[in-house]
Amino acid sequence: MSELREIDARGPRWSAGLTAIVLIVALITKSPVVIAIQLVQFGFGAFATPPKSPYGILYRKLVQPRLPKTFHTEDIRPPQFAQWVGFFFALLATIGALGHTWPLFTIATVFALFAALLNSIFGYCLGCKVYLLGVRLRHR
Amino acid sequence: MVTALLIAGVIIAALIVGTIYRNRVGRIKNINEVKHVVSASDIGTELGSVATILQFSSAFCAPCRITRGTLSTVVTSFTGIKHVEIDAEKNLELVRRLDIRQTPTTLFLNSAGQEIARAVGAPKRDQVISALELISG
């Protein structure tokens, strides 16, 4: 099967908005279940692709049909890379919540929330920005 | 209560950072003291006779496409100005030498290849035009 390389650029932004809401609920409830839901979302986004993640599917089924038919597309790699970054933070947060290590849970969730807010409100993808710096460091 | 304050703090921080970013992105900054000089062999093609706009991109980057569109159309209305796009990931030595930290980064070079202005992020069309008018004299 040929992989999808270009996706509707509005999808990741919508997912980031939903992510921000879920992370806020997680911070309020301190519930391992809520942060685990977000971990699963990031996991699908990173290991599969963002359109195959739960929020991506919700976007296509519920949101996209109500939006204008013309839209910008973007390369799938930046949002997928960002889901990896999100997965890492959500993993730390989930470990923190399960072990009742609340500082770990709070710090990791706050970082993820900050990135999700920037992405959903401004369309500014923090995870994508660090990419070139990462490549520069790797290939010395 | 602490949690509510924390959440409010994160939201405010994101709004501040996002607003600063939105105002800064793509702004063309003039460079008064020349630090970087680029030669034809660095970029694998001759420099423009008046100026060269050197765009660093990566496959990974959506604003790079917008930048490419803006720059390639703007240069057509000037003579002697060339738009050259470079894949940052494949030219890491040059990327380090010129201190390129993210893509897109656009350098404005004069006829001698000296960097006289730089824009990080997708530059605005009218800013590019006024920068080029300044270079063309």
Side-chain angles (χ1 to χ4, degrees), chain A residues 6 75 78 129 131 136 139, chain B residues 60 65 89 96 100 102:
Chain A
E6 291 280 323
D75 193 295
K129 289 287 167 201
Y131 178 72
R136 268 178 69 169
H139 302 273
Chain B
F60 218 69
R65 276 185 236 179
E89 290 173 60
R96 270 192 217 109
I100 309 296
Q102 50 171 276

Side-chain angles (χ1 to χ4, degrees), chain A residues 95-113:
Chain A
I95 292 168
L98 288 174
H100 297 278
T101 316
W102 298 116
L104 176 66
F105 165 79
T106 307
I107 291 168
T109 309
V110 160
F111 268 105
L113 174 60

Side-chain angles (χ1 to χ4, degrees), chain A residues 6 24 27-28 75 77-78 81 106 110 113-114 117-118 121-122 124 129 131-133 135-136 139-140, chain B residues 3 6-7 10-11 13-15 17-19 21-22 59-60 65 88-89 92 95-96 99-102:
Chain A
E6 291 280 323
I24 288 172
L27 279 173
I28 294 168
D75 193 295
R77 285 171 291 180
F81 181 75
T106 307
V110 160
L113 174 60
F114 180 72
L117 286 170
L118 274 184
I121 302 171
F122 297 97
Y124 175 42
K129 289 287 167 201
Y131 178 72
L132 184 62
L133 282 179
V135 175
R136 268 178 69 169
H139 302 273
R140 272 273 165 219
Chain B
T3 310
L6 184 69
I7 292 167
V10 177
I11 292 173
L15 288 174
V17 171
T19 309
Y21 169 75
R22 184 181 275 177
F60 218 69
R65 276 185 236 179
E89 290 173 60
L92 288 172
V95 161
R96 270 192 217 109
D99 196 26
I100 309 296
R101 288 169 196 181
Q102 50 171 276

Side-chain angles (χ1 to χ4, degrees), chain B:
Chain B
M1 184 59 196
V2 178
T3 310
L5 282 175
L6 184 69
I7 292 167
V10 177
I11 292 173
I12 291 167
L15 288 174
I16 292 171
V17 171
T19 309
I20 292 171
Y21 169 75
R22 184 181 275 177
N23 289 331
R24 285 235 183 116
V25 70
R27 191 184 288 172
I28 300 174
K29 280 199 209 121
N30 291 325
I31 290 163
N32 300 320
E33 196 184 330
V34 175
K35 279 195 210 123
H36 302 297
V37 182
V38 179
S39 69
S41 63
D42 286 330
I43 58 172
T45 177
E46 287 301 311
L47 294 171
S49 58
V50 177
T52 308
I53 310 178
L54 188 58
Q55 179 192 341
F56 285 87
S57 299
S58 56
F60 218 69
C61 143
C64 294
R65 276 185 236 179
I66 300 165
T67 307
R68 181 187 310 146
T70 310
L71 297 180
S72 58
T73 46
V74 167
V75 290
T76 54
S77 48
F78 290 87
T79 47
I81 295 182
K82 206 163 163 181
H83 171 224
V84 179
E85 190 173 356
I86 284 192
D87 186 338
E89 290 173 60
K90 289 185 184 136
N91 293 277
L92 288 172
E93 211 166 294
L94 190 61
V95 161
R96 270 192 217 109
R97 205 184 90 202
L98 300 175
D99 196 26
I100 309 296
R101 288 169 196 181
Q102 50 171 276
T103 54
T105 294
T106 307
L107 310 189
F108 295 78
L109 311 174
N110 64 14
S111 56
Q114 296 171 319
E115 179 192 347
I116 51 171
R118 174 181 289 222
V120 179
K124 312 262 179 308
R125 201 185 128 79
D126 48 340
Q127 284 191 13
V128 176
I129 292 173
S130 40
L132 292 184
E133 278 167 352
L134 205 70
I135 296 170
S136 316

